[in-house]
Amino acid sequence: MREQRCEPPSATLRTRRPRARPARGRAALALLLTAVLAAALAACSGGSGGRHRVAATQPAKKPNIIFVLTDDLSWNLIAHMPQVQKMQRDGLTFDKFFMADSLCCTSRATIFTGRYPHNTKVRTNFPPLGGYKVFQQNGGEQNSFGPALQNAGYRTAFLGKYMNGYLPGDKQGGPRPFVPPGWSEWYVAGNGYPEYDYNLNENGRLINYGHRPQDYLTDVLADKGTDFVQRAGGSAKPFFMEISTFAPHGPFVSAPRYADKFTGLKAPRSPAFNEKDVRDKPSWLRKHPKLGKRAIARIDEGFRDRVRMVQSVDDMIGRIRGELATLGIDRDTYVVFGSDNGFHMGEHRLAGGKMTAFDVDIHVPYIVTGPGVGAGRHVGAFAQNTDLAPTFLGLAGLPAPAGADGRSLVPFLRGETPGGWRQAALIEHVKPAPSRDDPDLQDSAPGAPTTYNAIRTNDALYVEYADGEREYYDLARDPNELDNAAKRLPEERRRQLSEQLNALVRCSGESCASAGRAQ
C-alpha cells in the first residue's frame, strides 16, 4: 500500500483568495474551515471520520527477503559476475564469511537451522552420518527458518537444490510427492547437477524436464523465481524466496549461450597453486605429487566451465533485481547472495574439490542489498552460516531459532556492531565414506582430508586432525597457507588455540558466542 500524503486543507484553500465578506460571513467561513481542518486531521490520523488511513498508522509491512544460494561458488568467480559486483556497489559485503563445514549437505543443514554440524548431527552427505534423512529425523525441517517465517505471515517459496538425498518423487506416505513444512510454494529437484534431464517437484506434482535449451535448470529457476516475485510482489503479504542453484557444481555444464565464451581463461595462479613443497603438510596431503601439464589443463578447462556456468546465475540475479525495481518493491526487499562452500582448483596440489580447512574452501562471498543497507560497505567481523537463519528471522522481526548457535547479522546491515561479537570461526569436518553416488567425490584420490576440527582467527588457522596431526598457519606473514608451522608453535599459544577450539566444538546455543571470543 502506497503512503497517502495529507496536505492541510488551508494549503488548497489559499490557492484562491476569497473576496471580502461581512463579519458574519467571515465568522461562518472560519467555522467551516475549522470543521474541514478537523475532519482532515481525523482522516490523516486514522480516525473514524476519515475514509483513508495513512500507511504510517498501519502496522508496517515486513520486508521481503530473497536468498540466492549457489553451490561450490568460490570467491575467484565473483570477478566474472557483473551483477554480483553491482550488488557489492549497491550493498554490503561480508569480507570474513566462513562455512562451518565445506560440504554441501552439512552446510545447508547449518544454514536452515543456525546450528553447527555437531548440533545438527548432519556430518556428511549420506546416511548414516548425514543427508536429507538424517536432517529430517533430527527435526531439521521443523527447526528451520521456513516454518517460522510462514507462521509469521510470510509467503514462502523454495526453488532448486534442497538437501543431498532428497528425491523430488518421494511421497513420504502421502498421495503426492512430499513438500516439507514451511513452504507455500515448492519447485525442487533431486539430481539437478547436469542441469538437464531432471524432475522438479512443483508443489506436489512431478514435472519432467528434458534436454532442450529452455530446460537448462538455472534458467528454469530464474523464470520461476521471477514469476513468483511478480505474483507475490503485489500482495500486502511479505514474501521470502530462496533460489538454491546447482551451479557451479560439477559436472560443469553451462547454458548453450555461454558454451563458447571465455576461451582463453585460466584458473587463478595464486602462490598456493601447485604448491612447490608439501613436505610440511599432514599425511593426507603430503602424498600428492605436483600437478602435471595434463592435470593443469583439466583444471583450466574446469575453471572456464565454472565461469560459464555462473553467467546464468548472474543473469538470474539481474532479472530478479530488475523485476523488483519494475514493481517498485526493491526498497522493501533484501537480496542476499552467497554460497554453501568454496572450491579449490589447483591450490596445494589439489585438482578439484573442497572439504579442507584452507581459505579457498571455507571463505565464501556473502553480499546483501536492501532497505537501510549502505552502498559499497564492507564488514570485517567474522560471520558464519550459523548466522543466516537468525538473520532471516531477525529481518522479519522474529527472535533467533531455538537452539541457534549463530547470531543475527541485522545490526551490521544497519551500520552497527553488536557487542561481544565472535573473534574466530569454527570449521569441523567428518571425512565421508567413499561413494560413487556422492556428487562431492573428490577429483583426485585420495583427495579428501581426514576428519578434523579447526579454528580460523584474524591471524591464524589451527587444525587438529582425528589422527593426531596438526596444522598451523601464521596468516599475517603467510596468507596463502604454505608454511605449516605447527611444530614451531609455542606451547602456550597451541594450548590457547586448542582450548578455544574444543570449547567451540562442544558449544550449543548461547554458549557458542562466548566460545568464539578470545579468552
Side-chain angles (χ1 to χ4, degrees):
M1 177 178 178
R2 293 185 177 178
E3 182 177 351
Q4 181 182 357
R5 298 187 61 184
C6 289
E7 298 289 343
S10 57
T12 303
L13 293 174
R14 286 195 197 103
T15 60
R16 185 174 179 179
R17 190 179 183 87
R19 290 177 295 178
R21 289 182 171 84
R24 182 179 298 176
R26 288 197 300 270
L29 178 62
L31 289 172
L32 175 63
L33 288 175
T34 301
V36 170
L37 179 60
L41 290 174
C44 285
S45 63
S48 60
R51 295 177 59 192
H52 302 286
R53 293 173 182 264
V54 175
T57 66
Q58 293 182 338
K61 178 184 175 182
K62 295 178 180 179
N64 308 310
I65 307 167
I66 296 175
F67 178 32
V68 179
L69 177 64
T70 56
D71 197 346
D72 289 5
L73 188 141
S74 47
W75 257 113
N76 55 25
L77 294 176
I78 300 300
H80 306 282
M81 303 181 73
Q83 291 296 332
V84 175
Q85 292 174 37
K86 187 176 188 303
M87 284 187 67
Q88 289 187 288
R89 293 192 297 271
D90 294 343
L92 180 149
T93 301
F94 286 94
D95 291 331
K96 293 179 180 176
F97 203 108
F98 292 89
M99 293 294 105
D101 187 359
S102 182
L103 185 63
C104 290
C105 201
T106 55
S107 177
R108 290 161 191 270
T110 293
I111 289 171
F112 277 123
T113 63
R115 300 178 182 181
Y116 283 119
H118 67 263
N119 289 326
T120 66
K121 309 303 181 185
V122 178
R123 308 310 304 267
T124 65
N125 284 342
F126 294 103
L129 297 179
Y132 170 61
K133 298 297 184 185
V134 172
F135 177 71
Q136 186 187 49
Q137 290 166 4
N138 283 282
E141 290 180 320
Q142 288 73 23
N143 293 324
S144 80
F145 55 75
L149 288 171
Q150 192 179 58
N151 292 337
Y154 271 75
R155 182 175 179 176
T156 58
F158 192 97
L159 297 77
K161 177 180 176 178
Y162 184 40
M163 303 280 288
N164 295 82
Y166 170 84
L167 298 176
D170 278 357
K171 294 186 179 181
Q172 301 294 316
R176 300 191 305 172
F178 177 67
V179 175
W183 301 104
S184 312
E185 299 192 27
W186 184 259
Y187 309 94
V188 176
N191 181 20
Y193 298 103
E195 297 283 342
Y196 291 105
D197 302 311
Y198 55 89
N199 291 324
L200 276 186
N201 177 346
E202 300 190 5
N203 299 317
R205 295 176 60 242
L206 204 61
I207 307 298
N208 176 259
Y209 290 79
H211 213 88
R212 301 171 301 169
Q214 60 267 36
D215 292 329
Y216 188 74
L217 179 53
T218 303
D219 292 342
V220 170
L221 297 179
D223 291 340
K224 292 187 179 298
T226 304
D227 174 68
F228 176 80
V229 169
Q230 289 171 346
R231 289 184 289 108
S235 169
K237 196 173 187 179
F239 67 82
F240 176 96
M241 176 176 69
E242 177 172 341
I243 299 186
S244 179
T245 70
F246 286 80
H249 196 291
F252 307 150
V253 179
S254 66
R257 64 187 179 277
Y258 293 116
D260 297 324
K261 305 294 184 182
F262 307 101
T263 54
L265 198 62
K266 294 183 178 180
R269 267 46 168 185
S270 74
F273 187 86
N274 206 11
E275 188 172 347
K276 293 180 180 179
D277 187 353
V278 295
R279 288 176 295 177
D280 59 327
K281 295 294 191 286
S283 57
W284 72 268
L285 182 52
R286 201 160 55 236
K287 302 171 183 177
H288 283 259
K290 288 198 69 175
L291 300 169
K293 291 183 178 180
R294 289 184 181 179
I296 292 175
R298 287 194 296 270
I299 288 171
D300 287 336
E301 181 181 3
F303 184 76
R304 285 191 291 272
D305 287 337
R306 282 166 57 79
V307 170
R308 291 165 180 149
M309 286 188 80
V310 298
Q311 300 312 300
S312 298
V313 177
D314 208 52
D315 291 343
M316 179 178 69
I317 292 170
R319 284 183 61 186
I320 289 173
R321 294 191 72 204
E323 189 62 36
L324 293 173
T326 298
L327 295 172
I329 58 173
D330 50 322
R331 295 184 179 180
D332 304 319
T333 306
Y334 290 94
V335 180
V336 181
F337 171 83
S339 178
D340 61 353
N341 48 254
F343 199 78
H344 55 252
M345 295 197 79
E347 290 86 358
H348 310 288
R349 300 188 183 182
L350 296 169
K354 48 204 176 190
M355 305 191 202
T356 78
F358 293 123
D359 266 18
V360 67
D361 286 356
I362 62 171
H363 182 204
V364 295
Y366 265 83
I367 301 154
V368 184
T369 62
V373 180
R377 289 184 51 224
H378 289 257
V379 168
F382 277 97
Q384 292 211 256
N385 49 342
T386 53
D387 303 328
L388 290 172
T391 299
F392 296 147
L393 297 188
L395 290 173
L398 300 172
D405 303 326
R407 297 172 64 184
S408 172
L409 301 172
V410 171
F412 292 110
L413 305 186
R414 296 172 177 164
E416 304 167 1
T417 301
W421 195 257
R422 73 171 66 87
Q423 297 168 310
L426 169 66
I427 306 100
E428 48 186 352
H429 178 73
V430 172
K431 182 177 181 177
S435 169
R436 292 181 180 180
D437 297 326
D438 191 347
D440 292 324
L441 186 68
Q442 300 298 283
D443 291 357
S444 55
T450 53
T451 298
Y452 67 83
N453 294 316
I455 186 170
R456 171 65 158 80
T457 70
N458 267 321
D459 59 2
L461 171 65
Y462 175 71
V463 188
E464 292 186 350
Y465 289 94
D467 60 8
E469 293 190 277
R470 301 287 183 267
E471 279 183 288
Y472 175 81
Y473 298 96
D474 181 346
L475 300 178
R477 69 173 187 82
D478 180 24
N480 294 289
E481 301 161 322
L482 302 176
D483 178 22
N484 178 14
K487 293 181 179 179
R488 306 193 303 272
L489 186 62
E491 179 59 24
E492 183 178 352
R493 174 65 168 156
R494 185 206 63 77
R495 186 184 305 110
Q496 178 192 36
L497 288 169
S498 184
E499 289 176 354
Q500 187 177 7
L501 173 59
N502 289 328
L504 280 167
V505 169
R506 295 192 303 268
C507 81
S508 178
E510 294 183 0
S511 67
C512 293
S514 58
R517 296 191 293 268
Q519 303 301 314

